[in-house]
């Protein structure tokens, strides 16, 4: 199962805001420790298995391999409406084809923003419009009343324009551990 329901509705008020991103962060941290970066994380790459009992299993797919090739006409992703430009870090717009752990962390911030608000930080417009907003506009704050202020602050930190200002995947894990 993908994050289709979350993509359509955002997380419900009953959902824990941190679990899927925490588990995805662990996968990214492991990849980063092995010298790999995703360079294109979107909700479509987070695969969630919901067993009848126990914790959901989260997998991070598509580390540049095995992209879905048969999409409906005009569809950009396996998750309808997911545009990769919604999840790219500013440095990836400056220098296409680049990326690294900090870009993955930014993308995780975009995914977390999406899960908490129902939309990416800079929705709508062309890829060029999105690039300008990722590069120059502050990301909108997560203001849902049921989201802890520490989680909202973490999302803001993940969406820092300068890659050096973003927390590491390990820092994200520590910040989301209480949730």
């Amino acid at each position: 199962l993908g994050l289709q329901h979350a993509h359509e509705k955002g997380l419900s008020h009953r959902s824990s805001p941190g679990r899927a991103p925490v588990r995805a962060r662990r996968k990214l941290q492991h990849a980063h420790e092995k010298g790999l970066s995703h360079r294109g994380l979107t909700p479509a790459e987070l695969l969630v298995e919901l067993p009848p009992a126990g914790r959901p299993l989260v997998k991070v797919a598509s580390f540049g391999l095995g992209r879905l090739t048969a999409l409906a006409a005009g569809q950009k992703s396996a998750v309808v409406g997911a545009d990769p430009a919604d999840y790219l870090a500013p440095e990836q717009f400056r220098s296409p084809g680049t990326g690294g752990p900090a870009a993955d962390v930014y993308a995780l911030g975009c995914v977390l923003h999406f899960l908490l608000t129902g939309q990416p930080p800079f929705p709508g417009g062309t890829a060029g419009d999105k690039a300008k907003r990722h590069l120059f506009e502050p990301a909108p704050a997560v203001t849902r009343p049921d989201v802890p202020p520490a989680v909202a602050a973490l999302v803001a930190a993940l969406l820092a324009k300068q890659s050096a200002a973003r927390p590491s995947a390990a820092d994200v894990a520590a910040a989301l551990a209480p949730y």
Side-chain angles (χ1 to χ4, degrees):
L1 298 172
L3 290 179
Q4 183 65 36
H5 179 73
H7 177 76
E8 292 169 355
K9 307 289 184 194
L11 289 179
S12 75
H13 67 281
R14 297 181 310 260
S15 300
S16 169
R19 290 296 93 198
V22 165
R23 292 186 179 108
R25 184 277 327 147
R26 289 181 183 137
K27 310 304 189 217
L28 289 175
Q29 182 181 1
H30 179 74
H32 295 167
E33 289 169 354
K34 302 293 182 197
L36 300 171
S37 65
H38 194 282
R39 296 172 35 168
L41 186 66
T42 73
E45 279 83 28
L46 294 182
L47 307 177
V48 180
E49 180 182 342
L50 301 172
R55 299 183 313 181
L57 175 64
V58 177
K59 296 180 181 184
V60 179
S62 186
F63 275 81
L65 304 171
R67 299 294 282 170
L68 183 62
T69 57
L71 296 175
Q75 191 175 344
K76 297 175 181 151
S77 169
V79 174
V80 176
D83 181 350
D86 286 326
Y87 303 93
L88 291 178
E91 59 270 24
Q92 291 176 293
F93 286 109
R94 280 188 217 101
S95 219
T98 63
D104 287 349
V105 167
Y106 185 91
L108 185 61
C110 292
V111 169
L112 188 53
H113 187 280
F114 167 79
L115 291 173
L116 294 170
T117 68
Q119 63 183 13
F122 303 106
T126 66
D129 295 334
K130 292 174 185 185
K132 288 176 190 170
R133 291 184 299 202
H134 279 284
L135 285 163
F136 304 114
E137 292 181 17
V142 173
T143 58
R144 232 174 70 178
D146 61 329
V147 173
V151 172
L154 176 65
V155 172
L158 294 171
L159 297 175
K161 301 299 180 192
Q162 298 301 316
S163 60
R166 293 179 209 132
S168 69
D171 294 336
V172 174
L176 289 176
Y179 307 100

